[in-house]
Amino acid sequence: MKAVVSIIMGSTSDYPVMEKAANFFNEMEIPFEVHALSAHRTPDEVEKFAKNADANGIKVIIAAAGMAAHLPGVIAAMTTLPVIGVPIKSSFDGLDALLSIVQMPPGIPVATVGVNGALNAAILGSQILASSDPVIKEKVIAYKGNLKSKIVKANEELKLKEFKFKTN
Amino acid sequence: MKAVVSIIMGSTSDYPVMEKAANFFNEMEIPFEVHALSAHRTPDEVEKFAKNADANGIKVIIAAAGMAAHLPGVIAAMTTLPVIGVPIKSSFDGLDALLSIVQMPPGIPVATVGVNGALNAAILGSQILASSDPVIKEKVIAYKGNLKSKIVKANEELKLKEFKFKTN
Amino acid sequence: MKAVVSIIMGSTSDYPVMEKAANFFNEMEIPFEVHALSAHRTPDEVEKFAKNADANGIKVIIAAAGMAAHLPGVIAAMTTLPVIGVPIKSSFDGLDALLSIVQMPPGIPVATVGVNGALNAAILGSQILASSDPVIKEKVIAYKGNLKSKIVKANEELKLKEFKFKTN
Amino acid sequence: MKAVVSIIMGSTSDYPVMEKAANFFNEMEIPFEVHALSAHRTPDEVEKFAKNADANGIKVIIAAAGMAAHLPGVIAAMTTLPVIGVPIKSSFDGLDALLSIVQMPPGIPVATVGVNGALNAAILGSQILASSDPVIKEKVIAYKGNLKSKIVKANEELKLKEFKFKTN
Amino acid sequence: MKAVVSIIMGSTSDYPVMEKAANFFNEMEIPFEVHALSAHRTPDEVEKFAKNADANGIKVIIAAAGMAAHLPGVIAAMTTLPVIGVPIKSSFDGLDALLSIVQMPPGIPVATVGVNGALNAAILGSQILASSDPVIKEKVIAYKGNLKSKIVKANEELKLKEFKFKTN
Amino acid sequence: MKAVVSIIMGSTSDYPVMEKAANFFNEMEIPFEVHALSAHRTPDEVEKFAKNADANGIKVIIAAAGMAAHLPGVIAAMTTLPVIGVPIKSSFDGLDALLSIVQMPPGIPVATVGVNGALNAAILGSQILASSDPVIKEKVIAYKGNLKSKIVKANEELKLKEFKFKTN
Amino acid sequence: MKAVVSIIMGSTSDYPVMEKAANFFNEMEIPFEVHALSAHRTPDEVEKFAKNADANGIKVIIAAAGMAAHLPGVIAAMTTLPVIGVPIKSSFDGLDALLSIVQMPPGIPVATVGVNGALNAAILGSQILASSDPVIKEKVIAYKGNLKSKIVKANEELKLKEFKFKTN
Amino acid sequence: MKAVVSIIMGSTSDYPVMEKAANFFNEMEIPFEVHALSAHRTPDEVEKFAKNADANGIKVIIAAAGMAAHLPGVIAAMTTLPVIGVPIKSSFDGLDALLSIVQMPPGIPVATVGVNGALNAAILGSQILASSDPVIKEKVIAYKGNLKSKIVKANEELKLKEFKFKTN
């Protein structure tokens, strides 16, 4: 079993947020790896990782960082694999991380999701993998189809709320 | 009894905020319905609801959503009923939801109230209904008249605060 | 012919923005009036207008203001008619006006549209009038139906753009 | 004893913030009054207060409000007394209240202090009173002189912090 | 003739904004002086000015600054005269200057007006002077009374706009 | 020749920004199509497009929108293809569009690029296609390799700037 | 032992944040002093400190302040020593303090670090001292080298997380 | 002559802003070099530069970048020399660049100056050099002393403005 997705984060303090991405890939039975790497504190390791990811069989990279969040952009500068950036909230409600990730200069895009959007990053990663993998595509279609259930259940719960002038 | 107001929200997690709208309509004896529908997870149900609301006797729609809050705008695109949008606070103090709801492009307005402004949405809905319903108009006038009481009571309480150099 | 809509603005400098609302009502053949009134410079005139609007046959009020935009809220405090607020852009990209209008305290809602959203305010006003006026309703449905045409025309224009690898 | 300062707030929920202003005037032995009045819920009372304040002997008005904070500006529109505005924090970290108070249109200034700045409002009020009252002026000078003591005490405390390489 | 108001600015580039304050005092026949002083480049001159202003007969200080606008606060720290701060717009739409002026720590208030609000600063200064000067009070009352005229004229102009369905 | 990329925009006014994406795909010899579709004005066409894109051979969708930018999210709700969102700047420096696109709720990600980031959207789209297409991969690697040249040329130009104390 | 670094803060309430700077210098065996001084409440003491710091052997000044944070800029105006500014978070997530410190006018720079960035201020101070002190330079190089260890440890911890489809 | 300062920018489009830094060093007779390097497009060149700067005799690095401005932080991660970051304004009034530079994670500080603050970066760089170079120190002291002249001249100009009620 070889990982096709790498989840990279700057410290274990990001793990409680990023765990949702790990859970998603596990549930989808998509092999993945998880690394703690820092654009600023271990730049050489980041470079080694980013330059070899493609050759190592990785298809999509998910990189999470907070504050002046350089990690996703720095990785994207060293690979042609799609890099998904997850802004981690730690100050300014995550606006600093969001702008540091999404406002990349021309030439080096990062596919940015919402603040603390680890689950969406994983779903997006799966959608990218699904382009060339019909098995994953099936799973993504099934997953997206199931999203309705939470709302339907919510709707059922709302029906139980009783008001004299409520008609449903 | 047939609902003239629909309260729509994206999940039951919005209910504690939106309950104030339900309470208001109940107190005003205006028949209403409550639904959980998602612009992104149940787009077909949203479409069915929005396209039929007018024919079903609904006069005003109140739609609440957080983050990239598309629900009010998506509903407004599919009906000519007035749609009142309630930005729900979940990130950026609700600024993302507010801008996603209020900044609608020309042609498709959403009547936006403040962040978590469920009560104001309900009052606004009643004011719209009151245009053509003298009974509701009476109730709205009475309700608005009673708003003074809270302030008057507040003023009485302030009179009880004792300071040597306070003159009232 | 008696006006059913009032368009209120703080100065003639707001007119170039608000003219779109006037044009819309004119085109829809909905009688309207236009006034320059200031919450701060002519508070007595505002009060007189707001308290008498309902009795004068007005059904919807559209109030535009910039900066610390108090006019829509001050009018809403003195009438039970629906008040639509239009934030006018003059500083901070209109954020000051938007927040001053939309963040009304509980009890006194203002139906807020986007910054400089005069056209949307007029459409929203017509949708409210349409609740009880089938002729206006017809017109609103027709107007909304015609919104497609601009996009369809845009789409036709895009087809004319020629690229070697463009397929449509 | 007749009040020379009025402290106005929109509800008793603002009192915990505004109490600092009351305490300051009490400590300075400057007669003051406290009222709960709302620009939106009791506009007539606000008008009565504002139009009579000068004749009643008030010299300075302090008005506090949150969200779309119209109270200070509405009062300022109806009197030529100096009005000090205190933005109360309840959403957007108080930015909505700050902009709603400070960004007044030309002609109707509000002397704005920082978010929840009740104490500074009171000090500013005293400085204004001091222009024409030598007794208050003495007190203000004494108060401002004493501000150093808190810092001096802080400095003494810092001297007690022990580090091997700390030299003071 | 001795100045009772000082208008202080950091450079002549602020003059086009602050000229409105000078014009206002001139029109009101209130003697004023104008200085260019910088909290950062001429701190000693600022200190000399601030510490002597009261003894020199100044009653109100208006201080304008942009960016990290320290001038109003630094002056306020060295006098008990009321200091009115004018945030000058040069970056971030003036938000940096606004926050640098209004968010003063407890003890040292600055009476802040809106971004580039030179005219409002002058009016506020006159209102403060009016507390103890009946002649100025008359003028302020007259000036405020005349504010209506601009709106009334605006209203007249709006009446001239012709639309088939405009009723006024 | 069948398009594998769809570029969708709300109106031809977005075309000057989005043309960079068209140029990029043309230069890379990747077949693409361009459509004007509006989430609000032509919701049925959007639905038809989104639900059939996959079957029509599209692999990646690029959707651009401004203000309350719902288009990318609405499309993403109706397909499992990766959707790249481009916030178009028209108000608030594009912050409203950015937040409306990137802050998607859990389940429906949009791969967001920077404000007006049409070129980056196209590059990202190519990187996604490159996962399963070695020819495109070659081109992407070549393109990214060539990015250096602009900087290198910039560096050469800087060498020509002459200063007495400049050493390179 | 004579201090070469001064850590200045406005009150002991800043000490819990700034303690990290003290700890860092202590650990690096760089002699430092700590003072509580206020730009607004003890301007004379600030002036005395700033004008004598150089002669007293200080090489770098670290100044922390919140809200309208004038202290770093005021000190920088009175010395040619490098001044490092630390914005302290107390309102607006520290944005007011950040802008009040970083947006200094031309001529008087403050070397600004992130909100509550006391540790980074101390590291930056050491890097400046290291320019002319080989012993400190050794220590800084060692410290920066050790930064990797936290990430490496984080990476080891992540390896222990077990998922069926996790490959590392 | 060997450079002691490096000015690094991402493209020649930053040169009109950064030229002020070059001019300053030239005027101060401090040898400097200028390079165009990109954290994203030429990461290897950035690494080579940053890792060798110290050995090459550089004492201070000034790095300018806009948007998601990673360059200053990436350089700071690879050297122990002080790095001064200049946020270049290109979108969001430079807020994206400011936050991307100043909000560095613990361990890797960047000495940030204001948006487009090239001159202040150069002055700060000189102040750092002055710590260990008495000749530069003399020049810095002279330069800072001369800053007054612009204000003094401004003050003289203001004296020439004539108003009937202006007293100076």
Side-chain angles (χ1 to χ4, degrees):
Chain A
M1 188 172 70
K2 256 190 111 180
V4 294
V5 177
S6 274
I7 303 173
I8 312 296
M9 65 195 78
S11 89
T12 45
S13 67
D14 299 335
Y15 187 72
V17 170
M18 295 311 295
E19 193 173 22
K20 284 181 188 164
N23 285 332
F24 180 83
F25 288 118
N26 204 49
E27 191 190 325
M28 302 291 275
E29 307 189 339
I30 296 172
F32 66 100
E33 59 181 28
V34 183
H35 294 292
L37 294 174
S38 163
H40 302 115
R41 285 173 286 197
T42 56
D44 296 338
E45 280 68 19
V46 169
E47 185 183 343
K48 195 159 51 178
F49 163 77
K51 291 193 170 163
N52 295 321
D54 195 354
N56 287 337
I58 298 299
K59 297 285 185 198
V60 174
I61 297 169
I62 294 175
M67 302 178 71
H70 299 183
L71 185 64
V74 163
I75 292 175
M78 296 174 181
T79 182
T80 57
L81 294 176
V83 176
I84 300 172
V86 183
I88 300 291
K89 178 175 179 169
S90 68
S91 49
F92 294 120
D93 283 339
L95 184 67
D96 47 3
L98 172 58
L99 295 178
S100 298
I101 292 174
V102 80
Q103 286 290 94
M104 286 294 288
I108 315 285
V110 170
T112 310
V113 295
V115 172
N116 282 1
L119 177 60
N120 269 1
I123 296 172
L124 177 60
S126 305
Q127 289 178 274
I128 291 171
L129 293 171
S131 324
S132 55
D133 183 330
V135 179
I136 293 179
K137 186 154 202 164
E138 284 300 305
K139 289 176 188 167
V140 169
I141 290 170
Y143 180 85
K144 286 238 176 177
N146 288 336
L147 283 173
K148 289 180 55 170
S149 66
K150 201 173 154 198
I151 302 297
V152 171
K153 185 163 153 270
N155 210 6
E156 293 307 312
E157 283 175 41
L158 289 178
K159 280 192 189 147
L160 304 178
K161 310 280 180 188
E162 288 188 26
F163 292 86
K164 194 163 170 198
F165 286 87
K166 182 162 164 287
T167 66
N168 67 331
Chain B
M1 188 173 67
K2 252 191 114 178
V4 294
V5 177
S6 275
I7 303 173
I8 313 296
M9 64 195 80
S11 89
T12 45
S13 67
D14 298 335
Y15 187 72
V17 170
M18 295 310 296
E19 192 172 23
K20 284 180 187 164
N23 285 332
F24 180 83
F25 288 118
N26 203 50
E27 190 189 328
M28 302 291 276
E29 306 188 340
I30 297 172
F32 65 100
E33 59 182 28
V34 184
H35 294 292
L37 294 173
S38 163
H40 302 115
R41 286 173 284 198
T42 56
D44 296 340
E45 281 68 20
V46 169
E47 184 182 343
K48 193 159 51 178
F49 163 77
K51 290 193 170 163
N52 295 321
D54 195 355
N56 286 339
I58 298 300
K59 296 284 184 199
V60 175
I61 297 168
I62 294 174
M67 302 179 71
H70 299 183
L71 185 63
V74 163
I75 292 175
M78 297 175 181
T79 180
T80 57
L81 293 176
V83 176
I84 300 171
V86 183
I88 299 292
K89 177 175 178 169
S90 69
S91 49
F92 295 119
D93 284 339
L95 184 66
D96 47 3
L98 171 57
L99 295 178
S100 298
I101 292 174
V102 80
Q103 286 290 94
M104 286 293 289
I108 315 286
V110 170
T112 310
V113 295
V115 172
N116 281 1
L119 176 59
N120 269 1
I123 297 171
L124 178 60
S126 306
Q127 289 178 274
I128 291 170
L129 294 171
S131 322
S132 55
D133 184 330
V135 178
I136 293 179
K137 186 155 203 165
E138 286 300 304
K139 289 176 188 167
V140 170
I141 290 170
Y143 179 85
K144 286 238 177 178
N146 288 335
L147 283 173
K148 287 179 57 167
S149 66
K150 200 173 155 199
I151 302 296
V152 171
K153 186 163 152 270
N155 210 6
E156 293 307 311
E157 283 174 41
L158 289 178
K159 281 193 189 146
L160 303 178
K161 310 280 182 188
E162 288 188 26
F163 292 86
K164 194 163 169 200
F165 286 87
K166 181 161 166 287
T167 67
N168 68 330
Chain C
M1 189 174 65
K2 256 191 113 180
V4 293
V5 176
S6 274
I7 302 173
I8 313 295
M9 64 195 80
S11 90
T12 45
S13 68
D14 299 335
Y15 187 72
V17 170
M18 296 311 296
E19 193 173 22
K20 285 181 187 164
N23 285 332
F24 180 84
F25 288 118
N26 203 49
E27 190 189 328
M28 301 291 275
E29 305 188 341
I30 297 171
F32 65 100
E33 59 182 29
V34 184
H35 294 292
L37 294 174
S38 162
H40 301 115
R41 286 172 285 198
T42 57
D44 295 340
E45 281 67 19
V46 170
E47 185 182 343
K48 194 159 51 177
F49 163 77
K51 292 193 170 164
N52 296 322
D54 194 354
N56 286 338
I58 299 298
K59 296 285 184 197
V60 174
I61 297 168
I62 294 175
M67 301 180 73
H70 299 182
L71 184 64
V74 163
I75 291 175
M78 297 173 180
T79 182
T80 58
L81 294 175
V83 176
I84 299 171
V86 183
I88 299 292
K89 177 175 179 169
S90 69
S91 49
F92 296 119
D93 283 340
L95 184 67
D96 48 2
L98 172 57
L99 295 178
S100 298
I101 292 174
V102 79
Q103 286 289 96
M104 287 293 289
I108 315 287
V110 170
T112 310
V113 295
V115 172
N116 281 2
L119 177 59
N120 269 0
I123 297 172
L124 178 59
S126 306
Q127 290 178 275
I128 291 170
L129 294 170
S131 325
S132 54
D133 183 328
V135 178
I136 293 178
K137 186 155 203 165
E138 284 300 305
K139 290 177 188 167
V140 170
I141 290 170
Y143 180 86
K144 286 238 177 178
N146 289 336
L147 283 174
K148 288 180 57 167
S149 66
K150 202 175 155 197
I151 302 297
V152 170
K153 185 162 154 272
N155 210 5
E156 293 306 311
E157 283 175 41
L158 288 179
K159 280 192 191 148
L160 303 178
K161 309 280 181 189
E162 288 187 27
F163 292 87
K164 194 163 171 200
F165 287 87
K166 182 162 165 285
T167 66
N168 67 330
Chain D
M1 189 174 69
K2 257 193 107 173
V4 294
V5 176
S6 274
I7 302 173
I8 313 297
M9 65 196 79
S11 89
T12 46
S13 68
D14 299 335
Y15 188 71
V17 170
M18 296 311 295
E19 193 172 22
K20 284 181 188 164
N23 285 332
F24 180 84
F25 288 118
N26 204 49
E27 189 190 328
M28 302 290 275
E29 306 188 339
I30 296 171
F32 66 100
E33 58 181 29
V34 184
H35 294 292
L37 295 172
S38 162
H40 302 116
R41 286 171 285 198
T42 56
D44 296 340
E45 282 68 19
V46 169
E47 184 183 345
K48 193 158 51 177
F49 163 78
K51 291 192 170 164
N52 296 321
D54 194 354
N56 286 339
I58 298 299
K59 297 283 183 198
V60 174
I61 296 168
I62 294 174
M67 302 179 71
H70 299 183
L71 185 64
V74 164
I75 292 175
M78 297 174 180
T79 181
T80 57
L81 293 176
V83 176
I84 300 171
V86 184
I88 299 291
K89 178 174 177 169
S90 68
S91 50
F92 296 119
D93 283 341
L95 185 67
D96 48 1
L98 172 57
L99 295 178
S100 298
I101 293 174
V102 79
Q103 286 290 93
M104 288 293 289
I108 315 286
V110 170
T112 310
V113 294
V115 172
N116 281 3
L119 176 60
N120 269 1
I123 297 172
L124 178 60
S126 305
Q127 289 178 275
I128 291 171
L129 294 170
S131 322
S132 56
D133 184 328
V135 178
I136 293 179
K137 186 154 203 166
E138 284 300 304
K139 289 176 188 166
V140 169
I141 290 170
Y143 179 85
K144 286 239 174 174
N146 289 335
L147 283 173
K148 287 179 57 167
S149 64
K150 202 175 154 199
I151 303 297
V152 171
K153 187 164 150 271
N155 210 5
E156 294 306 311
E157 282 174 41
L158 289 179
K159 280 194 188 144
L160 303 177
K161 309 283 182 188
E162 287 187 26
F163 291 87
K164 194 162 170 201
F165 287 87
K166 182 161 165 288
T167 67
N168 67 333
Chain E
M1 187 173 70
K2 256 190 112 178
V4 294
V5 176
S6 274
I7 303 173
I8 312 296
M9 65 196 77
S11 89
T12 45
S13 68
D14 299 336
Y15 187 73
V17 170
M18 295 311 296
E19 193 172 22
K20 284 181 188 165
N23 284 332
F24 180 83
F25 288 119
N26 204 48
E27 190 189 327
M28 302 290 276
E29 306 189 341
I30 296 171
F32 65 100
E33 58 181 31
V34 183
H35 294 292
L37 294 174
S38 163
H40 302 115
R41 286 173 284 198
T42 56
D44 296 340
E45 281 66 22
V46 170
E47 184 183 344
K48 195 159 53 177
F49 163 77
K51 291 193 169 163
N52 295 321
D54 194 355
N56 287 338
I58 299 299
K59 296 286 183 197
V60 174
I61 297 168
I62 294 175
M67 303 178 72
H70 298 184
L71 185 64
V74 163
I75 292 175
M78 297 175 180
T79 181
T80 57
L81 294 175
V83 175
I84 299 171
V86 183
I88 299 292
K89 177 175 178 167
S90 68
S91 49
F92 295 119
D93 282 341
L95 185 67
D96 47 2
L98 172 57
L99 295 178
S100 298
I101 292 174
V102 80
Q103 286 290 94
M104 287 293 289
I108 315 285
V110 169
T112 309
V113 296
V115 172
N116 281 2
L119 176 59
N120 269 1
I123 297 172
L124 178 59
S126 305
Q127 289 177 275
I128 291 171
L129 294 170
S131 323
S132 55
D133 183 330
V135 179
I136 293 178
K137 185 153 201 166
E138 284 301 304
K139 290 177 187 166
V140 170
I141 289 171
Y143 180 86
K144 286 240 177 175
N146 288 336
L147 284 174
K148 289 179 54 166
S149 65
K150 202 174 153 197
I151 302 297
V152 171
K153 186 164 152 268
N155 210 6
E156 292 307 311
E157 283 175 40
L158 289 179
K159 281 195 189 143
L160 304 177
K161 310 280 181 188
E162 288 187 27
F163 292 86
K164 194 163 172 200
F165 287 86
K166 181 161 165 287
T167 66
N168 68 330
Chain F
M1 190 172 67
K2 254 191 112 176
V4 293
V5 177
S6 274
I7 302 173
I8 313 296
M9 65 195 79
S11 90
T12 46
S13 67
D14 299 335
Y15 187 72
V17 170
M18 295 311 296
E19 193 173 22
K20 284 180 188 167
N23 284 333
F24 180 83
F25 288 119
N26 203 50
E27 189 189 330
M28 302 290 276
E29 305 188 341
I30 297 172
F32 65 99
E33 59 181 29
V34 183
H35 293 293
L37 294 173
S38 163
H40 302 116
R41 285 172 285 198
T42 56
D44 295 340
E45 281 67 21
V46 169
E47 184 182 345
K48 194 159 52 177
F49 163 77
K51 291 193 170 164
N52 296 322
D54 194 354
N56 286 338
I58 298 299
K59 297 285 184 195
V60 174
I61 297 168
I62 294 175
M67 301 179 72
H70 299 184
L71 185 64
V74 163
I75 291 175
M78 297 175 180
T79 181
T80 58
L81 293 175
V83 176
I84 300 172
V86 184
I88 299 292
K89 177 173 179 169
S90 69
S91 49
F92 295 119
D93 284 339
L95 185 67
D96 48 3
L98 172 57
L99 295 178
S100 298
I101 292 173
V102 79
Q103 287 289 96
M104 288 292 290
I108 315 286
V110 170
T112 310
V113 295
V115 172
N116 281 1
L119 176 60
N120 269 1
I123 297 172
L124 178 60
S126 306
Q127 289 178 274
I128 291 171
L129 294 171
S131 321
S132 55
D133 184 329
V135 179
I136 293 179
K137 186 154 203 166
E138 284 301 304
K139 289 176 188 166
V140 169
I141 290 171
Y143 180 85
K144 286 238 176 177
N146 288 336
L147 283 173
K148 286 177 60 167
S149 65
K150 201 175 156 197
I151 303 297
V152 170
K153 186 162 152 270
N155 210 6
E156 293 307 311
E157 283 174 40
L158 289 178
K159 280 192 190 145
L160 303 177
K161 309 281 182 186
E162 288 186 27
F163 291 87
K164 194 163 170 198
F165 287 86
K166 181 160 165 287
T167 66
N168 66 331
Chain G
M1 189 172 71
K2 255 190 111 178
V4 293
V5 176
S6 274
I7 303 173
I8 313 296
M9 65 195 77
S11 88
T12 46
S13 68
D14 299 336
Y15 188 72
V17 170
M18 295 311 295
E19 192 173 22
K20 283 180 188 165
N23 285 332
F24 179 84
F25 288 119
N26 204 49
E27 189 190 326
M28 302 289 276
E29 307 190 338
I30 296 172
F32 66 100
E33 58 181 30
V34 184
H35 294 292
L37 295 173
S38 163
H40 302 115
R41 286 172 285 197
T42 56
D44 296 340
E45 280 68 20
V46 169
E47 185 183 343
K48 194 159 52 178
F49 163 77
K51 291 192 170 164
N52 295 320
D54 194 354
N56 287 337
I58 298 300
K59 297 286 184 195
V60 175
I61 297 169
I62 294 174
M67 303 179 71
H70 298 184
L71 185 63
V74 164
I75 291 175
M78 297 173 180
T79 181
T80 57
L81 294 175
V83 175
I84 300 171
V86 184
I88 299 291
K89 178 175 179 168
S90 68
S91 50
F92 295 119
D93 284 339
L95 185 67
D96 48 2
L98 172 57
L99 295 177
S100 298
I101 292 174
V102 79
Q103 287 290 93
M104 288 292 290
I108 315 285
V110 170
T112 309
V113 295
V115 172
N116 281 4
L119 177 59
N120 269 1
I123 297 172
L124 178 59
S126 305
Q127 289 178 275
I128 292 171
L129 293 171
S131 324
S132 56
D133 183 330
V135 178
I136 293 179
K137 186 153 202 166
E138 285 300 304
K139 289 176 188 167
V140 169
I141 289 170
Y143 179 85
K144 286 241 176 174
N146 289 336
L147 282 173
K148 289 179 55 168
S149 65
K150 202 175 154 196
I151 303 298
V152 171
K153 188 164 150 269
N155 210 6
E156 293 306 312
E157 283 175 41
L158 289 178
K159 283 194 187 143
L160 304 178
K161 310 281 181 188
E162 288 186 27
F163 291 86
K164 194 164 170 200
F165 287 86
K166 182 161 165 288
T167 66
N168 67 331
Chain H
M1 189 173 70
K2 257 192 109 173
V4 294
V5 176
S6 275
I7 302 173
I8 312 297
M9 65 195 78
S11 89
T12 44
S13 68
D14 298 336
Y15 187 73
V17 170
M18 295 311 295
E19 192 172 23
K20 283 180 188 166
N23 285 333
F24 181 83
F25 288 118
N26 204 48
E27 190 189 328
M28 302 291 274
E29 306 189 340
I30 296 172
F32 65 100
E33 58 181 30
V34 183
H35 294 293
L37 295 173
S38 162
H40 302 115
R41 286 172 285 197
T42 55
D44 296 339
E45 281 68 20
V46 170
E47 184 182 345
K48 194 159 51 176
F49 163 76
K51 290 193 170 164
N52 295 322
D54 194 353
N56 287 338
I58 298 300
K59 297 284 182 198
V60 174
I61 297 168
I62 294 174
M67 303 179 71
H70 298 184
L71 185 64
V74 163
I75 292 175
M78 297 175 180
T79 180
T80 57
L81 294 175
V83 176
I84 299 172
V86 183
I88 299 291
K89 177 175 178 168
S90 68
S91 50
F92 295 120
D93 283 341
L95 185 67
D96 48 2
L98 172 57
L99 295 178
S100 298
I101 293 174
V102 79
Q103 286 290 94
M104 288 292 290
I108 315 285
V110 170
T112 310
V113 295
V115 172
N116 281 2
L119 176 60
N120 269 1
I123 297 173
L124 178 59
S126 305
Q127 289 178 274
I128 291 171
L129 293 171
S131 322
S132 55
D133 184 329
V135 178
I136 293 179
K137 186 153 202 165
E138 286 300 304
K139 288 176 188 167
V140 170
I141 290 170
Y143 180 85
K144 286 238 174 174
N146 288 336
L147 283 173
K148 289 178 56 167
S149 65
K150 201 175 156 197
I151 303 297
V152 170
K153 186 165 152 268
N155 210 7
E156 293 307 310
E157 283 174 42
L158 290 178
K159 280 192 189 147
L160 304 177
K161 308 283 181 188
E162 287 187 27
F163 291 87
K164 194 162 171 201
F165 287 87
K166 180 160 165 291
T167 67
N168 69 329

